[in-house]
């Protein structure tokens, strides 16, 4: 690392080249007061608090924006500087209540003390929600101001409390601009701006409209950045300082944001995204920042429930466990299935699949990854050898072109979405968005490819054809590192530009331009999610994406890659841990005798060699009676799986169903026994995020009632059934066993995870982890170019069902809403389904925004209110599945992808009309 | 709204630096910058509404309320102030039953105070539309307005 030396306050400081004077001082633990500076933002130089003296430089340059230079001599404390800072601060404080900031008794004063200076209550720091966390106070104390000679003028502005999640009190604002800049530079929403000018200047929105109308994404970055009490979370506003702060990992999507939970009296007061978080760097989204109410929700399950005569009765753990053990013993072998959870930790998942395989003797293990990235695991394993994100999130900063296909990133993985938007806005990268819906990212895209739903193979292969025809392929890479090129080239014959344009509905020149940008402006990264996988040809879509990357050599280098964005906090980990019917932990095939022998030796048992049932196959087996008992943890298939009424029927047909969850979900209601589980905030363990980073969860609060961590419950059941190898004392011991049996986790241990997580493969204790896969060599040896054929979706619109229904996600809700709908703020932002209908369709059907409509397919019918919008193309309808009242998955098509058994969530034929 | 502004948008490049001239032309066409117009400009230039509003409010030349059919500006510059501009403004506020900066409910008249027209020799000055009326007194000002009703 290139370093330079300078002297600050007589001390020699060494800092990286390009750093500013302020950074150099901070690195050496020399305090320079500042109000407007923020590590994630460009230097602003607005508050004038960080003025310093530098030898051979005129005047008093601000430390935040002055580049440090070799041999520089800086003084941060001189009488002149103190005087300057004092007078600037004085001016600042004329518009901020300040009597306490200049009081000599400030250390001694308590909330109910009589003020010796007769300061009015409303002007005291003790009535400010930011008291004791205020950076203005820190600065004022450092600078040491005894009095403000100018009178204090309150602006007398009303406090904005109209919005969900946080309040804005601009009487406390010092116009440092951090909120405005973080919203613009980092989040890219620009919901806040400086409005008016001179003495009238304020932070606000267009026409003073509420934040809900201003494009605010409620990520809370501005609240985090605010140095004063201006922007404050509604929750815990007056709760004061926390007892302690625990660093853990968010439980929502797969980004794996590191959060600092401020805890008081065993409750989460506030959530602060951790600036040290490797994947989020101080950011979060509305769900992580404002959506953790579910942890303390009164509806939490606190005692085991046993269904007697169709009604749930509370039971003791002893009763519940005995009953579960007694019943499950009757179903050993393939009449039992285990559904593990992408919301549970690696340790939980490991124990669950071990229980199914070792104790119950079946490979019938699966979880909801089947419904999100099973095609990724199947497709990328075939073409590259490893079904995970090839690159890291931070890598995106080096990309020159980013192709986002089938991912509404700012809604589903907001923290990654912010980064993509930021790169596009700064014109550091070309952003190609391929999506039938006009998602947020379209606004900042270089090119928007609006393909018809379900035509991704045609689009991607069409692009590959252009790249080959125009000689833009990286043929050296193809020759040296790939195989099967001839067959692939042969299959491209069918994808001439004309045909592809007709199939996808995208103008030919746009497809060609996208192909050229992707192939020439390298490195190019592909980001994709459910829009690629949730099709009956999902695996083909995935392989078409990897074809594009292989053909252009965009694999194994920083800023490139094929990057499936994983949906749940630990869906990557649940797959890694063998929560799948065909593999043991670390994707070691159950059909492979060596792998089986290894696990048989490791667990001291004999294991079945036949792969088990996949999730959708389980429901079929339950209906025809082959499957009799299911142990389901932390999932809600009654709402989340395609053709939901079929799933419900299947579950009802079981002889015994145990559900382990934090709430009595729609699925749990069907169970015979319900076991209360601990949330992510109540347990130790690890999550593996979308970039394969294994990160530590830590106990922040105690579980309510008798809820227990998942691993412990499963271990207790297994032990009662007489199984060996479940006597773990804590998750750390489980991780030790995982590391022993899973080569890619071989070097992972809790002590190593203390410093920010490790990306697998990490085979040995001294291995630093692997940020980029397939460097120099593919996991499978050579990259496989897949010959593909375009297959239309299984169910296309016809006379009776003339529209295409595509499922989507909202930014403020997650999955079946079990957790997010319990959050006050998020529920205020949106609490019902709004089916998106194109204006042309709406006119034909006589529908207006807000009308109650029905949406019906061959499998079911739901009602919702309509939102008429151009966001959705003509002939299509979009709905989420977050709201139980509108169970969208009653409609979706269970047609399966032949390879991965993924149902076709993204395309089915429906009819729509006014509900009567 | 989108169609109304399309002609203006077509003349400009779709980049941030076009903002001020787009705002000026939109205001020239509509008489003011409405929330709907700002939303359309935001869509066209890919700049958020808040940011556009922030930029527009920085300049005195932009207005955000719909002007009346007759825009009345009463000068309160030094010369007009000395010669009783204040009294003319008060009379107008009484006559139209609106405050300075406001517009009558029928959008017939809007009233503004301005700082100087450069017609100090004619002080006190009132401008109605594009017509400058010099040496005003409250009574004459009232008559001018009544003639327009």
């Amino acid at each position: 690392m290139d370093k330079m030396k300078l002297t600050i306050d007589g001390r020699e400081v060494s800092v990286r080249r390009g750093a500013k004077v302020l950074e150099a001082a901070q690195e050496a633990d020399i305090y320079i007061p500042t109000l407007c500076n923020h590590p994630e933002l460009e230097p602003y130089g607005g508050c004038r608090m960080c003025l310093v003296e530098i030898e051979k430089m005129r005047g008093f340059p601000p430390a935040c924006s002055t580049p440090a230079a070799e041999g520089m001599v800086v003084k941060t404390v001189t009488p002149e500087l103190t005087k300057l800072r004092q007078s600037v601060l004085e001016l600042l404080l004329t518009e901020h209540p300040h009597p306490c900031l200049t009081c000599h008794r400030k250390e001694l004063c308590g909330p109910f003390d009589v003020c010796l200076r007769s300061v009015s209550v409303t002007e005291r720091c003790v009535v400010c929600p930011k008291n004791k966390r205020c950076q203005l106070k820190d600065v004022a104390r450092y600078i040491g101001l005894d009095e403000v000679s100018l009178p204090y003028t309150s602006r007398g502005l009303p406090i904005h409390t109209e919005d969900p999640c946080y309040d804005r009190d601009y009487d406390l604002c010092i116009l440092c601009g951090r909120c405005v800049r973080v919203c613009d530079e980092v989040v890219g929403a620009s919901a806040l701006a400086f409005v008016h000018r001179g003495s009238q200047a304020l932070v606000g929105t267009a026409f003073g409209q509420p934040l809900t109308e201003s494009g605010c994404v409620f990520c809370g970055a501005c609240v985090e950045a605010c140095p004063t009490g201006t922007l404050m979370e509604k929750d815990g506003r007056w709760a004061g300082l926390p007892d302690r702060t625990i660093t853990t990992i968010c439980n929502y999507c797969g980004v794996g944001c590191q959060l600092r939970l401020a805890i008081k009296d065993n409750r989460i007061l506030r959530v602060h995204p951790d600036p040290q978080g490797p994947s989020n760097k101080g950011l979060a989204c509305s769900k992580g920042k404002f959506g953790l109410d579910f942890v303390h929700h009164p509806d939490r399950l606190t005692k085991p429930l046993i269904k007697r005569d169709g009604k749930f009765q509370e039971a003791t753990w002893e009763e519940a466990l005995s009953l579960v053990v007694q019943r499950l013993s009757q179903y050993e072998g393939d009449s039992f299935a285990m559904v593990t959870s992408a919301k549970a930790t690696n340790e939980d998942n490991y124990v669950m699949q071990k229980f199914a395989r070792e104790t119950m003797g079946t490979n019938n293990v699966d979880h909801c990854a089947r419904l999100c990235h099973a095609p990724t695991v199947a497709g990328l394993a075939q073409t590259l050898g490893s079904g995970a994100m090839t690159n890291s999130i931070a890598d995106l900063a080096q990309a020159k072109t980013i192709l986002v296909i089938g991912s509404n990133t700012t809604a589903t993985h907001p923290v990654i979405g912010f980064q993509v938007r930021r790169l596009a806005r700064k014109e550091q990268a070309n952003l190609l968005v391929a999506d039938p819906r006009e998602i947020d990212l379209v606004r900042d895209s270089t090119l928007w490819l609006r393909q018809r739903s379900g035509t991704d193979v045609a689009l991607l292969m069409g692009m590959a054809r252009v790249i080959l025809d125009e000689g833009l392929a990286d043929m050296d890479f193809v020759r040296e590192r790939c195989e099967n090129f001839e067959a692939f080239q042969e299959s491209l014959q069918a994808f001439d530009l004309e045909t592809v344009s007709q199939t996808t509905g995208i103008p030919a020149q746009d497809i060609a331009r996208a192909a050229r940008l992707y192939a020439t402006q390298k490195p190019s990264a592909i980001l994709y999610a459910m829009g690629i996988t949730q099709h009956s040809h999902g695996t083909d879509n995935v392989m078409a994406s990897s074809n594009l990357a292989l053909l252009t050599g965009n694999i194994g280098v920083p800023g490139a890659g094929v990057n499936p964005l994983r949906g749940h906090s630990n869906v990557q980990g649940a797959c890694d841990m063998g929560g799948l019917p065909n593999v043991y932990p670390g994707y070691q095939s159950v059909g492979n005798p060596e792998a089986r022998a290894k696990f048989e030796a490791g667990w001291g048992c004999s294991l079945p060699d036949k792969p088990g049932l996949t999730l959708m196959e389980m429901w079929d087996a339950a209906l025809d009676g082959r499957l009799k008992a299911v142990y389901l943890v932390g999932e809600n298939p009654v709402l989340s799986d395609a053709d939901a009424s079929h799933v419900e029927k299947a579950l009802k047909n079981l002889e015994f169903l145990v559900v382990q969850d934090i709430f009595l979900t729609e699925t749990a209601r069907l169970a015979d026994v319900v076991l209360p589980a601990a949330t992510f905030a109540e347990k130790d363990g690890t999550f593996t995020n979308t970039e394969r980073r294994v990160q530590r969860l830590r106990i922040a609060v105690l579980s309510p009632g008798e809820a227990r961590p998942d691993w412990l419950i499963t271990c207790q059941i297994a032990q009662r059934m007489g199984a060996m190898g479940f006597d773990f004392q804590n998750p750390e011991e489980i991780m030790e066993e995982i590391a022993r049996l899973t080569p890619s986790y071989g070097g992972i241990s809790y002590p190593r995870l203390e410093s920010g997580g490790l990306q697998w493969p990490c085979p040995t204790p001294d291995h630093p982890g692997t940020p980029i896969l397939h460097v120099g060599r593919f996991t499978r040896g050579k990259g496989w170019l897949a010959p593909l054929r375009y297959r239309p979706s299984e169910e296309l619109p016809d006379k009776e069902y003339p529209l295409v229904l595509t499922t989507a996600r909202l930014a403020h809700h997650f999955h079946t809403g079990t957790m997010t709908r319990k959050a006050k703020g998020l529920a205020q932002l949106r609490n019902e389904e709004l089916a998106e209908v194109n204006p042309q369709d709406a006119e034909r059907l006589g529908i207006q925004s807000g009308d109650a409509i029905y949406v019906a397919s061959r499998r079911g019918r739901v009602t919702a209110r309509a939102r008429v919008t151009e966001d959705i193309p003509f002939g299509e309808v979009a709905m989420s599945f977050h709201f139980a009242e509108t169970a969208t998955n009653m409609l979706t098509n269970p047609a399966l992808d032949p390879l991965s058994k993924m149902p076709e969530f993204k395309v089915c034929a429906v009819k729509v009309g006014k509900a009567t | 709204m989108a169609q109304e502004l399309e002609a203006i948008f077509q003349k400009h490049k779709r980049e941030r630096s076009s903002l001020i001239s787009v705002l000026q032309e939109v205001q020239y066409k509509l008489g003011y910058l409405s929330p709907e117009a700002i939303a359309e400009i935001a869509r066209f230039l890919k700049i958020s509404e808040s940011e556009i509003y922030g930029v527009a409010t920085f300049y005195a030349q932009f207005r955000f309320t719909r002007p009346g059919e007759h825009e009345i500006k009463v000068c309160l510059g030094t010369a007009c102030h000395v010669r009783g501009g204040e009294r003319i403004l008060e009379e107008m506020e009484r006559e139209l039953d609106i405050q300075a900066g406001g517009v009558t409910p029928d959008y017939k008249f809007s009233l503004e105070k301005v700082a100087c027209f450069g017609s100090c020799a004619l002080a006190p000055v009132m401008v109605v539309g594009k017509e400058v009326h010099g040496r005003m007194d409250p009574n004459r000002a009232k008559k001018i307005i009544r003639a327009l009703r």
Side-chain angles (χ1 to χ4, degrees):
Chain A
M1 184 64 110
D2 204 3
K3 292 245 178 188
M4 53 188 174
K5 285 201 173 84
L6 61 158
T7 313
I8 304 178
D9 290 345
R11 273 171 59 191
E12 190 152 285
V13 175
S14 155
V15 69
R16 71 175 169 84
R17 231 159 253 285
K20 305 285 190 269
V21 173
L22 181 64
E23 290 171 74
Q26 282 166 345
E27 209 143 293
D29 277 333
I30 297 169
Y31 179 75
I32 299 178
T34 168
L35 288 168
C36 70
N37 190 66
H38 188 279
E40 286 297 310
L41 299 175
E42 298 289 322
Y44 186 58
C47 72
R48 316 313 282 178
M49 287 295 137
C50 68
L51 300 180
V52 290
E53 281 182 31
I54 300 176
E55 268 180 28
K56 293 181 199 144
M57 273 179 100
R58 258 177 358 116
F60 302 92
C64 66
S65 57
T66 309
E70 185 71 47
M72 205 177 232
V73 180
V74 182
K75 282 188 201 151
T76 74
V77 195
T78 67
E80 288 80 21
L81 284 175
T82 305
K83 231 178 124 193
L84 261 175
R85 287 174 183 160
Q86 278 176 338
S87 50
V88 177
L89 184 64
E90 232 183 304
L91 289 171
L92 208 65
L93 290 183
T94 55
E95 286 199 326
H96 186 99
H98 57 250
C100 297
L101 294 175
T102 54
C103 178
H104 64 286
R105 291 187 74 252
K106 58 203 165 202
E107 307 293 347
L108 309 167
C109 189
F112 304 109
D113 288 2
V114 175
C115 177
L116 299 181
R117 299 165 74 201
S118 304
V119 171
S120 72
V121 169
T122 50
E123 289 179 21
R124 290 199 220 165
C125 284
V126 286
V127 296
C128 174
K130 203 60 173 280
N131 191 24
K132 298 193 176 160
R133 298 189 294 133
C134 175
Q135 287 173 38
L136 179 62
K137 197 170 181 175
D138 296 344
V139 168
R141 280 182 186 187
Y142 175 83
I143 291 173
L145 203 58
D146 288 333
E147 64 165 351
V148 175
S149 51
L150 300 156
Y152 162 58
T153 343
S154 166
R155 297 188 188 99
L157 299 165
I159 302 180
H160 290 277
T161 55
E162 67 271 25
D163 289 300
C165 304
Y166 65 98
D167 294 339
R168 297 176 285 149
D169 180 358
Y170 288 122
D171 268 340
L172 300 179
C173 178
I174 54 168
L175 294 170
C176 67
R178 281 196 206 172
C179 54
V180 173
R181 289 179 293 136
V182 84
C183 193
D184 177 41
E185 286 178 32
V186 179
V187 178
S190 302
L192 293 172
F194 282 118
V195 296
H196 303 293
R197 65 184 162 144
S199 61
Q200 304 290 308
L202 264 186
V203 173
T205 58
F207 300 96
Q209 64 197 2
L211 288 168
T212 43
E213 316 267 306
S214 70
C216 175
V217 296
F218 291 88
C219 68
C222 53
V223 181
E224 288 300 308
C226 182
T228 68
T230 309
L231 302 177
M232 279 298 296
E233 301 90 345
K234 279 188 201 285
D235 281 348
R237 186 181 166 94
W238 299 110
L241 286 183
D243 302 335
R244 62 208 149 89
T245 305
I246 303 290
T247 305
T248 191
I249 306 300
C250 180
N251 199 28
Y252 283 110
C253 77
V255 177
C257 295
Q258 195 159 303
L259 302 178
R260 307 182 68 224
L261 306 183
I263 311 294
K264 188 175 191 175
D265 300 333
N266 199 39
R267 283 186 79 84
I268 301 172
L269 270 194
R270 285 179 289 266
V271 180
H272 305 292
D274 192 343
Q276 256 77 54
S279 63
N280 62 316
K281 300 198 176 67
L283 286 176
C285 70
S286 57
K287 289 163 287 199
K289 171 80 185 161
F290 298 111
L292 299 189
D293 301 21
F294 71 90
V295 173
H296 302 301
H297 198 274
D299 291 353
R300 276 286 301 277
L301 292 170
T302 54
K303 272 178 163 278
L305 303 174
I306 295 176
K307 198 179 264 171
R308 293 191 178 100
D309 307 324
K311 277 203 187 116
F312 281 121
Q313 290 177 351
E314 288 192 350
T316 62
W317 272 106
E318 180 58 38
E319 287 171 311
L321 290 178
S322 323
L323 180 64
V324 170
V325 166
Q326 178 218 330
R327 297 298 305 273
L328 286 188
S329 326
Q330 302 164 15
Y331 304 108
E332 278 177 26
D334 289 339
S335 59
F336 169 83
M338 173 94 221
V339 180
T340 69
S341 175
K343 279 270 171 279
T345 63
N346 286 323
E347 291 76 1
D348 295 336
N349 277 285
Y350 177 82
V351 167
M352 289 175 216
Q353 61 86 33
K354 182 177 176 183
F355 170 73
R357 296 194 156 107
E358 194 243 26
T359 317
M360 299 300 289
T362 177
N363 281 319
N364 291 343
V365 186
D366 207 0
H367 69 284
C368 71
R370 187 64 50 203
L371 311 176
C372 63
H373 275 297
T376 297
V377 175
L380 293 187
Q382 201 166 331
T383 60
L384 311 177
S386 188
M389 201 162 151
T390 60
N391 288 53
S392 301
I393 297 168
D395 244 38
L396 279 174
Q398 298 178 55
K400 289 273 178 307
T401 302
I402 303 173
L403 168 61
V404 177
I405 180 162
S407 162
N408 185 359
T409 322
T410 51
T412 54
H413 302 82
V415 169
I416 295 178
F418 299 158
Q419 194 175 339
V420 171
R421 182 155 59 189
R422 183 180 180 180
L423 292 167
R425 284 203 165 179
K426 286 190 175 170
E427 293 176 0
Q428 284 177 359
N430 301 297
L431 174 59
L432 309 174
V433 176
D435 207 298
R437 294 176 64 227
E438 187 172 353
I439 57 173
D440 262 6
L441 281 179
V442 167
R443 200 173 85 166
D444 297 298
S445 64
T446 319
L447 191 58
W448 175 29
L449 308 166
R450 190 174 212 179
Q451 80 274 40
R452 290 196 186 97
S453 288
T455 60
D456 310 82
V457 167
L459 169 62
L460 293 165
M461 290 296 270
M463 284 172 68
R465 168 86 183 259
V466 173
I467 290 169
L468 257 187
D469 285 356
E470 299 192 0
L472 306 174
D474 184 346
M475 288 316 287
D476 290 340
F477 186 90
V478 171
R479 263 189 300 276
E480 280 163 33
R481 298 200 46 194
C482 304
E483 55 190 22
N484 205 34
F485 176 71
E486 285 70 29
F488 166 70
Q489 194 176 22
E490 181 68 36
S491 80
L492 280 183
Q493 290 311 313
F495 296 98
D496 61 281
L497 210 45
E498 194 61 27
T499 316
V500 168
S501 172
Q502 255 167 30
T503 312
T504 57
I506 307 169
Q509 72 267 21
D510 284 359
I511 300 172
R513 190 173 155 222
R516 285 178 207 131
L517 281 173
Y518 179 83
T520 57
Q521 308 286 306
K522 293 202 283 188
S524 307
I526 298 177
L527 299 184
Y528 74 81
M530 302 300 88
I532 281 291
T533 57
Q534 290 184 331
H535 291 278
S536 58
H537 46 262
T539 311
D540 290 354
N541 286 345
V542 170
M543 294 198 286
S545 311
S546 84
N547 281 345
L548 215 50
L550 289 173
L551 194 60
T552 50
N554 272 313
I555 293 260
V557 286
V562 181
N563 299 297
L565 303 177
R566 308 299 303 249
H568 285 281
S569 50
N570 197 36
V571 65
Q572 182 67 53
C575 292
D576 297 347
M577 289 303 108
L580 299 169
N582 56 337
V583 290
Y584 300 122
Y587 306 97
Q588 305 174 79
S589 171
V590 298
N592 177 349
E594 263 173 59
R596 198 167 59 249
K598 175 171 146 190
F599 280 92
E600 284 177 341
W603 294 342
C605 63
S606 77
L607 294 170
D609 58 350
K610 186 169 66 78
L613 298 173
T614 61
L615 203 58
M616 299 306 281
E617 289 169 339
M618 284 180 193
W619 309 143
D620 292 338
L623 270 181
D624 64 25
R626 276 176 294 145
L627 187 67
K628 297 192 171 64
V630 167
Y631 177 10
L632 183 145
V633 181
E635 287 219 8
N636 196 6
V638 169
L639 287 185
S640 66
D641 292 13
D643 195 3
S645 49
H646 173 78
V647 178
E648 189 168 340
K649 240 182 281 168
L651 288 170
K652 282 181 176 160
N653 203 38
L654 288 170
E655 290 177 15
F656 189 61
L657 173 64
V658 194
V659 171
Q660 184 169 309
D661 211 315
I662 57 174
F663 290 107
L664 195 64
T665 60
E666 290 73 10
T667 305
R669 283 178 226 280
L670 306 176
D672 298 290
V673 180
V674 179
L675 303 173
T679 63
F680 82 109
E682 296 150 13
K683 60 186 174 189
D684 274 322
T686 56
F687 279 165
T688 306
N689 78 349
T690 185
E691 52 171 356
R692 298 168 279 108
R693 189 187 299 277
V694 184
Q695 306 188 94
R696 266 283 265 132
L697 257 74
R698 295 178 185 83
I699 296 175
V701 291
L702 300 175
S703 295
E706 297 172 20
R708 292 178 182 174
D710 293 291
W711 64 270
L712 184 63
I713 304 173
T714 309
C715 284
Q716 284 172 336
I717 294 174
Q719 280 177 308
R720 278 164 183 256
M721 289 180 76
M724 306 297 282
F726 285 92
D727 47 359
F728 302 107
Q729 293 306 304
N730 52 47
E732 189 169 359
E733 289 185 16
I734 304 176
M735 184 49 88
E736 282 162 17
E737 183 172 315
I738 295 170
R740 265 202 309 281
L741 291 168
T742 316
S744 53
Y745 279 64
I748 289 173
S749 63
Y750 277 25
R752 285 194 74 189
L753 293 178
E754 286 304 319
S755 52
L758 284 165
Q759 283 172 285
W760 66 255
C762 175
T764 53
D766 51 5
H767 192 285
T770 312
I772 305 175
L773 295 178
H774 316 301
V775 180
R777 181 183 177 279
F778 285 99
T779 313
R780 72 180 288 276
K782 285 201 163 189
W784 192 71
L785 285 158
L788 295 171
R789 176 171 77 75
Y790 166 67
R791 278 189 291 132
S793 304
E794 292 285 328
E795 190 181 73
L796 293 172
D798 52 24
K799 258 206 179 121
E800 207 193 339
Y801 296 95
L803 297 171
V804 168
L805 170 72
T806 189
T807 54
R809 311 289 183 275
L810 301 172
H812 302 306
H813 284 284
F814 194 86
H815 212 237
T816 59
T818 309
M819 302 195 305
T820 45
R821 293 193 71 191
K822 306 262 182 336
K824 255 193 327 275
L826 301 182
Q828 265 173 286
L829 284 166
R830 179 71 95 78
N831 207 18
E832 62 168 340
E833 181 65 57
L834 293 177
E836 292 182 358
V837 185
N838 181 276
Q840 285 183 58
D841 292 316
E843 200 183 319
R844 190 172 47 80
L845 297 162
I847 294 169
Q848 288 180 331
S849 274
D851 285 354
I853 58 169
Y854 71 84
V855 182
S857 78
R858 288 184 175 81
R859 291 156 293 279
R861 177 191 165 103
V862 298
T863 53
R865 289 203 298 139
R867 174 170 168 257
V868 177
T869 167
E870 298 269 5
D871 290 354
I872 184 84
F874 174 64
E876 295 195 18
V877 182
M879 292 169 82
S880 77
F881 64 94
H882 303 310
F883 306 98
E885 309 85 286
T886 306
T888 306
N889 279 321
M890 303 266 282
L891 311 175
T892 46
N893 188 359
L896 298 185
D897 175 50
L899 257 157
S900 64
K901 313 293 179 196
M902 160 68 85
E904 187 140 66
F905 285 100
K906 287 287 178 187
V907 178
C908 75
V910 293
K911 57 182 173 188
V912 172
K914 262 193 160 168
T916 41
Chain B
M1 180 61 69
Q3 283 115 25
E4 256 181 285
L5 301 182
E6 198 46 50
I8 296 173
F9 293 162
Q10 262 167 19
K11 284 190 283 178
H12 291 90
K13 281 204 184 132
R14 203 168 181 160
E15 53 194 38
R16 292 178 74 86
S17 55
S18 308
L19 179 58
I20 300 280
S21 43
V22 169
L23 285 172
Q24 284 170 329
E25 288 187 38
V26 170
Q27 169 148 311
Y28 185 77
K29 184 164 177 105
L30 304 177
Y32 73 117
L33 299 173
S34 65
E36 297 76 25
I38 286 193
E40 282 305 322
I41 299 170
R43 240 180 127 76
F44 172 66
L45 291 178
K46 303 180 179 183
I47 305 177
S48 83
E49 291 171 42
S50 298
E51 204 177 338
I52 294 176
Y53 184 74
V55 170
T57 51
F58 184 82
Y59 296 96
Q61 60 175 300
F62 295 115
R63 52 177 303 155
F64 304 92
T65 47
R66 184 176 145 187
E69 191 185 320
H70 305 285
E71 288 181 64
I72 301 163
K73 291 172 187 148
V74 179
C75 183
L76 296 180
T78 314
C80 294
H81 172 75
V82 169
R83 307 206 56 173
E86 207 76 60
R87 276 170 48 222
I88 294 167
L89 181 67
E90 278 165 25
E91 186 61 35
M92 287 297 99
E93 286 183 336
R94 223 176 359 254
E95 172 67 23
L96 298 170
D97 198 18
I98 52 173
Q99 296 290 304
V103 59
T104 53
D106 59 358
Y107 290 102
K108 189 121 188 176
F109 298 97
S110 54
L111 183 63
E112 269 174 81
K113 49 185 178 187
V114 291
C116 184
F117 271 107
S119 311
C120 305
L122 300 176
V125 167
M126 177 172 90
V127 181
V128 180
K130 285 181 180 150
E131 203 175 330
V132 181
H133 301 270
R135 306 224 167 81
M136 279 290 106
D137 61 47
N139 229 351
R140 286 181 56 209
K142 198 154 69 183
K143 275 187 193 146
I144 293 169
I145 300 305
R146 292 207 170 150
L148 290 170
R149 279 208 193 255

